[in-house]
Amino acid sequence: MSLTATDIHVAFGGVQALDGASVHVEPGEVTGLIGPNGAGKSTLVNCLTGFVAIDRGTVWIDGIAAEGSSAHRRARRGIARTFQTPRIDPDASVADNIAMARHRLNRTRLPGSVLRTPRCRREERGDVTAVHEAAERFGLTDVLQRRGSEIPVWQLRLVEVARATLLEPRYVMLDEPAAGLGGAELELLGSSIRGLAAHGLGVLLIEHNFAFVRQHADTVTVLDRGRLLATGTPQAIAGNRAVVDSYLGATA
Amino acid sequence: MKSLLWPTVVLVGAGLALVLIQSDPSSLELSRVAGIYALLALSVGISYGQAGILSLGQAAFASVGAYGSAIVTTRYEWNPWAGMVLAMALAAGLAYVLARLLVRLSALALALATLLFGELVHFALTRGGDLTGGYIGLPGIEAPAPLDSREGTHLVVWAVVALVVLIATNISTSAEGRTVRGAASDPVLAGSLGVAVPVRLSAVFALSGAVAGLAGFLFAHSSGYLAPESLSIEMSIAALAMAVIGGRYSPVGPVVGALVVVLALDLLPSEDLAGLFYGLLIIAAIVLLPRGLLGIRRSTPVSPFRKKASA
Ligand SMILES: Nc1ncnc2c1ncn2[C@@H]1O[C@H](COP(=O)(O)OP(=O)(O)OP(=O)(O)O)[C@@H](O)[C@H]1O
Ligand SMILES: [Mg+2]
């Protein structure tokens, strides 16, 4: 049981975004994915989640090749993600933005909604409870009724993480969720990420702040120019010569 | 926005009751036309307001339903109410297939495709030989009670409008409405949340087609005759204008838009000005009232959250 990408190659026109990259996400663990700008981190997440077609290489979902499985099917199979540039409906409330993820668990579709069947009502009540719980966990209770356009970007990132967890996924890919977060929120996010792993989720965490990664990740994978540069425990990565030279530099 | 909704409903209801009490044939005829337009405009509100599909083919779906029912009732002696079910099923099925094929297109390409679909339907009806009656159309379509009287037609048409308003309300305030609006506004995000975007949007378009088909049935069986021009492309454009003017995100907006436009057209000195009139109305609505007369936003909060908020 794991989510694994091996030897992934992806080219955009002339740009070789991924050139043999690999990553492994284990249930119950946080895998940090780091590397310089343009290293291919987001592209790798796009490959894992089915948003980008792979030229060569394989994504394995619990040992089964994911080839040909579309993004929405992978989400239904329990792979959630956030986007580096938050995707929020600016017109809908934060509550409704988060609640959209409940579509995966709910079974009411158009006919049931038109007739407002008992199941429809029951599921909508369930949505409210679930959204309020998630909002509480990510400190969003006060902004639930605001519109997506009315809250700052750093908070949108938390909305994205809250929404992703409402899918009740087995794996969750977080693309720079901590960008722009201040001390208290960073703390909250870090403990929430640990909480997800403690619940048995496999978490992939893309992050430039190595201190944050070091604090919360169990293993770290480093990409550089589309290639796997190193993988290991945070301590090992912090001491890895190649990683320090190409990316971490003086910060580690 | 809620504050505008109920006064509007009461006002429209009172007007309709007055028309019924006065029982003046020309008012009742105007009410029949307005009601059928209201249904077409509601079908636009469902497809465009919820699923983001700007359709210029709603009258064509109505036409398909109307002809379907007219043919089976005049040629094969079906019961007209079975014809009604057929009208809705035909229009819904066609709409679903069309949307499944085309929903990935850009908004503009999709709109043009629905326009083309309307032309195709028109072409097929004029070339349908004995089956459709060609350019002349089909006379002698049975009017089942209560569609056999002006008062009965008035009542049935507006009862159906009320029912469709209820359906539109249930969609826009339900979790499914939230999903569909989200899928329309950001298909990438919706896909990442496990939403099968083309299926969900097509289902809404099918429902919108069924409403148009029902409008077509009511038109055919209350008019008694049907021609390819009866439910024309101009009607599709008019229905779009009505929905946009009244407020396509509101379940009542399209009805208000239909009433405003039909009453205004009735006062217009010449039929020839109608095209110009629609053009000006749409431009005025887009510039002055981008959300329509009822001023509803795209995303009404889904009902359970709204209750929680006011509690
Ligand atoms: N859709 C696309 N079309 C063309 N080029 C792309 C596309 N997506 C990514 N790239 C290119 O692929 C390379 C890898 O990009 P990617 O976004 O995966 O990097 P990243 O590691 O996430 O960087 P950052 O830390 O800045 O987010 C870059 O050179 C980028 O310009
Ligand atoms: Mg990136």
Side-chain angles (χ1 to χ4, degrees):
Chain A
M1 288 288 160
S2 67
L3 178 64
T4 307
T6 48
D7 194 33
I8 306 287
H9 291 72
V10 171
F12 297 110
V15 182
Q16 193 69 41
L18 292 177
D19 193 9
S22 300
V23 72
H24 179 83
V25 185
E26 192 70 27
E29 288 188 4
V30 179
T31 302
L33 183 61
I34 65 172
N37 291 114
K41 304 180 295 294
S42 296
T43 305
L44 190 53
V45 163
N46 284 334
C47 292
L48 288 165
T49 49
F51 282 90
V52 158
I54 297 169
D55 297 333
R56 211 169 86 217
T58 313
V59 170
W60 305 89
I61 305 172
D62 297 332
I64 301 164
E67 201 187 337
S69 177
S70 64
H72 95 264
R73 287 218 179 78
R74 291 191 204 186
R76 297 198 82 80
R77 283 168 71 180
I79 304 178
R81 68 166 298 173
T82 67
F83 294 89
Q84 187 168 354
T85 308
R87 287 185 173 266
I88 299 285
D89 186 339
D91 227 17
S93 69
V94 168
D96 278 325
N97 265 294
I98 295 175
M100 226 183 121
R102 293 279 293 178
H103 178 84
R104 174 175 177 241
L105 300 172
N106 288 345
R107 283 165 53 217
T108 304
R109 296 295 180 252
L110 190 59
S113 303
V114 166
L115 301 172
R116 294 206 69 72
T117 57
R119 182 169 75 190
C120 171
R121 292 158 194 267
R122 181 167 12 96
E123 289 182 344
E124 286 183 357
R125 281 195 299 274
D127 292 352
V128 178
T129 316
V131 167
H132 279 271
E133 276 170 20
E136 202 135 319
R137 237 176 293 133
F138 292 93
L140 296 167
T141 306
D142 292 342
V143 295
L144 273 183
Q145 303 305 328
R146 301 263 192 85
R147 291 182 187 279
S149 57
E150 294 170 352
I151 64 171
V153 176
W154 66 264
Q155 208 160 29
L156 291 183
R157 294 188 201 285
L158 294 179
V159 171
E160 284 228 326
V161 180
R163 181 173 61 195
T165 63
L166 269 208
L167 270 184
E168 298 192 4
R170 289 177 299 137
Y171 302 98
V172 58
M173 326 274 102
L174 306 174
D175 197 345
E176 302 195 19
L181 259 58
E185 290 89 23
L186 208 58
E187 198 80 352
L188 193 72
L189 179 70
S191 63
S192 302
I193 289 173
R194 286 309 323 170
L196 292 174
H199 267 86
L201 271 76
V203 182
L204 183 73
L205 171 67
I206 299 181
E207 182 47 54
H208 283 288
N209 174 354
F210 188 68
F212 186 75
V213 175
R214 192 171 185 165
Q215 193 182 347
H216 298 293
D218 300 296
T219 55
V220 177
T221 294
V222 191
L223 290 187
D224 185 27
R225 274 167 274 159
R227 292 200 185 88
L228 180 68
L229 189 65
T231 185
T233 62
Q235 288 80 352
I237 293 299
N240 183 306
R241 197 54 194 264
V243 176
V244 174
D245 285 350
S246 83
Y247 176 52
L248 295 178
T251 64
Chain B
M1 296 311 109
K2 263 178 165 175
S3 56
L4 263 182
L5 186 67
W6 286 109
T8 308
V9 171
V10 170
L11 196 68
V12 170
L16 293 172
L18 198 67
V19 168
L20 190 65
I21 292 163
Q22 282 192 328
S23 197
D24 157 43
S26 71
S27 309
L28 284 170
E29 171 59 14
L30 198 62
S31 137
R32 179 184 80 105
V33 171
I36 286 165
Y37 266 120
L39 287 175
L40 282 182
L42 280 166
S43 80
V44 172
I46 291 169
S47 72
Y48 189 28
Q50 299 296 314
I53 300 174
L54 194 162
S55 169
L56 290 166
Q58 294 312 103
F61 290 119
S63 212
V64 165
Y67 266 90
S69 178
I71 288 168
V72 296
T73 51
T74 56
R75 302 238 192 286
Y76 303 101
E77 285 160 25
W78 279 37
N79 180 302
W81 301 112
M84 178 182 82
V85 174
L86 178 77
M88 294 169 70
L90 265 182
L94 259 179
Y96 186 81
V97 171
L98 194 72
R100 280 293 267 133
L101 292 174
L102 300 173
V103 79
R104 285 189 190 277
L105 296 179
S106 74
L108 182 63
L110 189 55
L112 291 176
T114 58
L115 190 64
L116 184 69
F117 168 76
E119 289 289 357
L120 278 174
V121 167
H122 184 264
F123 180 81
L125 293 177
T126 57
R127 303 299 157 96
D130 278 350
L131 191 66
T132 65
Y135 286 98
I136 297 159
L138 296 170
I141 300 168
E142 183 187 342
L147 292 177
D148 54 356
S149 75
R150 288 189 185 283
E151 287 81 3
T153 302
H154 170 89
L155 275 174
V156 169
V157 166
W158 284 98
V160 171
V161 170
L163 187 69
V164 175
V165 167
L166 189 68
I167 288 171
T169 306
N170 283 355
I171 297 172
S172 74
T173 59
S174 70
E176 180 68 8
R178 169 179 65 212
T179 303
V180 165
R181 288 190 297 271
S185 81
D186 190 344
V188 171
L189 168 65
S192 82
L193 299 174
V195 178
V197 173
V199 178
R200 303 266 49 91
L201 297 184
S202 300
V204 174
F205 197 54
L207 180 66
S208 143
V211 171
L214 182 57
F217 164 86
L218 289 171
F219 177 85
H221 289 266
S222 62
S223 306
Y225 67 92
L226 201 56
E229 308 304 330
S230 304
L231 296 155
S232 61
I233 284 173
E234 286 76 51
M235 274 183 97
S236 292
I237 296 170
L240 176 64
M242 291 161 177
V244 170
I245 289 161
R248 64 187 182 279
Y249 304 127
S250 152
V252 181
V255 180
V256 173
L259 284 171
V260 167
V261 172
V262 168
L263 291 177
L265 268 182
D266 193 51
L267 301 175
L268 213 63
S270 156
E271 286 260 320
D272 301 338
L273 293 175
L276 185 68
F277 175 70
Y278 288 133
L280 288 176
L281 269 182
I282 293 182
I283 293 169
I286 289 171
V287 172
L288 300 176
L289 299 163
R291 295 181 209 137
L293 287 171
L294 288 194
I296 296 272
R297 278 193 181 249
R298 185 167 59 77
S299 283
T300 38
V302 168
S303 44
F305 291 107
R306 205 160 40 193
K307 277 183 208 126
K308 200 90 176 185
S310 56

